[in-house]
Amino acid sequence: MKFRTLGFIVTLALGSISAPLPAEAQAPAKVLRIGTLAPGARPAGPDWRRRWAVVEGLRELGWVEGQNIVIEDRWADAKPDRLPALAAELVRLKVDVILTRSWPAAVAAKQATTTIPIVIITAGDPVATGLVASLARPGGNITGLADLATELSAKRLDLLKETVPKLSRVAVLWNSADGGMTLRFKSIQAAAPTLGVTVRPLGVQEPADFEQAFAAMTQERPEALFVVSDVLTVSNRKRIFEFAAHNRLPSMYEGRQFVADGGLISYGPSFPDLERRGAAFVDKILKGAKPADLPVEQPTRVELVVNLKTAKALGLTIPQSILIRADEVIQ
């Protein structure tokens, strides 16, 4: 009897040793690392991260910084030549995925790695620029979102002509060092003859070039300005606004932020929406999907935004046909 009791105790002890540990004692789940690469400057303010659409989108999908993900941000501070080194730094950190904003950032990431998954947003036409093989079958390690910027360029010129019916000469300001931006310019240039408009190309590559572009417009007196958006024009938008206002130039932009800051009219995808959808791609990849198996998506939401205060300052009456189609009218 004593022997049986002793055997029972030994068996119970061995069983308790081999039993699974309580949940609270188990090894924590792996924390995954997300790299982001952008050509601009880090947003200002202490709570910028909380308000960043990408982070909000990740949070809605269950990815929380400090719990199951770490986000490594790299900003080029409007110096595109820094992007390759920043991309290489993310590769050395062995991030699990890289999310890029802009065509130059996407190119830098592509050149830095062929194995780490890359999610692109605001990179223009990724097929035409060679980032992916096709939208349906991107191939390689890159997927994400096309922003229809090239396809929408002709429509933007059409809307500008409708806003300024007598328009015959338009200056186009774009970053000529950026392949994605140059594709957009060529689309504008191709659409111009059909609309009876002559295009004056004003390529800029660095902040100092804006003064030369402004001088050319002062001399040639175009009737409107078309601004192609990238980090260079975005970071110099105050100078553009001031020049356009002083010279009473109606101006077309690609995104709402320009019009909210004082521009006249914009037509383009919602950038916060693109970033949230970019977060959805990151989520799928972190859960095991391969970029080559995720078709590149296109925007589902395009916004027409008009600033009536700016129109009044220009002495311009916005046609009713534009106002009734506007998604937002800023008073």
Side-chain angles (χ1 to χ4, degrees), residues 136-212:
R137 299 179 181 276
N141 62 323
I142 299 177
T143 187
L145 291 142
D147 58 21
L148 287 179
T150 304
E151 294 87 340
L152 292 176
S153 292
K155 179 62 177 177
R156 292 184 179 111
L157 185 60
D158 184 33
L159 288 168
L160 182 57
K161 172 76 173 182
E162 188 175 346
T163 303
V164 187
K166 295 182 179 180
L167 178 65
S168 62
R169 301 188 314 279
V170 59
V172 180
L173 191 65
W174 92 102
N175 183 352
S176 56
D178 186 317
M181 303 307 107
T182 298
L183 282 176
R184 299 183 199 182
F185 166 71
K186 289 181 177 178
S187 178
I188 298 164
Q189 194 174 42
T194 303
L195 297 169
V197 175
T198 299
V199 167
R200 171 61 163 98
L202 293 170
V204 291
Q205 297 188 8
E206 55 186 47
D209 294 339
F210 283 88
E211 290 306 320
Q212 184 176 351

Side-chain angles (χ1 to χ4, degrees), residues 227-238 240-241 251-266 271 305 307 310 330:
V227 180
V228 179
S229 302
D230 81 313
V231 65
L232 181 61
T233 52
V234 169
S235 59
N236 286 276
R237 64 187 181 278
K238 183 179 179 182
I240 298 171
F241 294 153
S251 303
M252 167 62 78
Y253 301 94
E254 294 186 351
R256 180 191 180 279
Q257 72 179 96
F258 281 93
V259 181
D261 289 345
L264 176 64
I265 185 171
S266 68
F271 291 116
V305 184
N307 190 319
T310 300
I330 298 173

Side-chain angles (χ1 to χ4, degrees), residues 17 25 28 34 59 68 111 118 132 205 222 236 320 324:
I17 291 172
I34 300 169
R59 189 182 303 117
N68 52 9
Q111 292 174 344
I118 298 169
V132 300
Q205 297 188 8
N236 286 276
Q320 194 64 25
I324 61 176

Side-chain angles (χ1 to χ4, degrees), residues 3-222:
F3 176 80
R4 283 208 232 157
T5 302
L6 180 59
F8 172 75
I9 293 171
V10 171
T11 301
L12 183 62
L14 290 173
S16 66
I17 291 172
S18 61
L21 294 171
E24 60 269 18
Q26 291 180 2
K30 179 184 177 182
V31 175
L32 300 177
R33 196 174 292 265
I34 300 169
T36 75
L37 185 63
R42 185 185 302 275
D47 63 341
W48 71 269
R49 176 66 70 76
R50 180 178 58 81
R51 294 180 287 104
W52 196 14
V54 166
V55 176
E56 290 178 347
L58 288 169
R59 189 182 303 117
E60 290 167 2
L61 293 166
W63 300 101
V64 181
E65 285 186 271
Q67 294 185 18
N68 52 9
I69 58 168
V70 171
I71 299 180
E72 298 284 355
D73 297 314
R74 295 297 181 271
W75 306 86
D77 295 322
K79 298 176 182 176
D81 57 325
R82 295 185 58 200
L83 287 168
L86 295 173
E89 188 176 332
L90 290 175
V91 172
R92 287 195 298 272
L93 288 172
K94 298 181 179 180
V95 295
D96 296 284
V97 61
I98 299 174
L99 184 143
T100 68
R101 299 177 70 185
S102 82
W103 178 76
V107 170
K110 181 178 182 178
Q111 292 174 344
T113 179
T114 58
T115 56
I116 297 174
I118 298 169
V119 174
I120 58 172
I121 55 176
T122 63
D125 183 339
V127 178
T129 57
L131 289 173
V132 300
S134 72
L135 298 184
R137 299 179 181 276
N141 62 323
I142 299 177
T143 187
L145 291 142
D147 58 21
L148 287 179
T150 304
E151 294 87 340
L152 292 176
S153 292
K155 179 62 177 177
R156 292 184 179 111
L157 185 60
D158 184 33
L159 288 168
L160 182 57
K161 172 76 173 182
E162 188 175 346
T163 303
V164 187
K166 295 182 179 180
L167 178 65
S168 62
R169 301 188 314 279
V170 59
V172 180
L173 191 65
W174 92 102
N175 183 352
S176 56
D178 186 317
M181 303 307 107
T182 298
L183 282 176
R184 299 183 199 182
F185 166 71
K186 289 181 177 178
S187 178
I188 298 164
Q189 194 174 42
T194 303
L195 297 169
V197 175
T198 299
V199 167
R200 171 61 163 98
L202 293 170
V204 291
Q205 297 188 8
E206 55 186 47
D209 294 339
F210 283 88
E211 290 306 320
Q212 184 176 351
F214 295 154
M217 283 188 276
T218 300
Q219 181 178 357
E220 298 172 20
R221 307 301 300 174

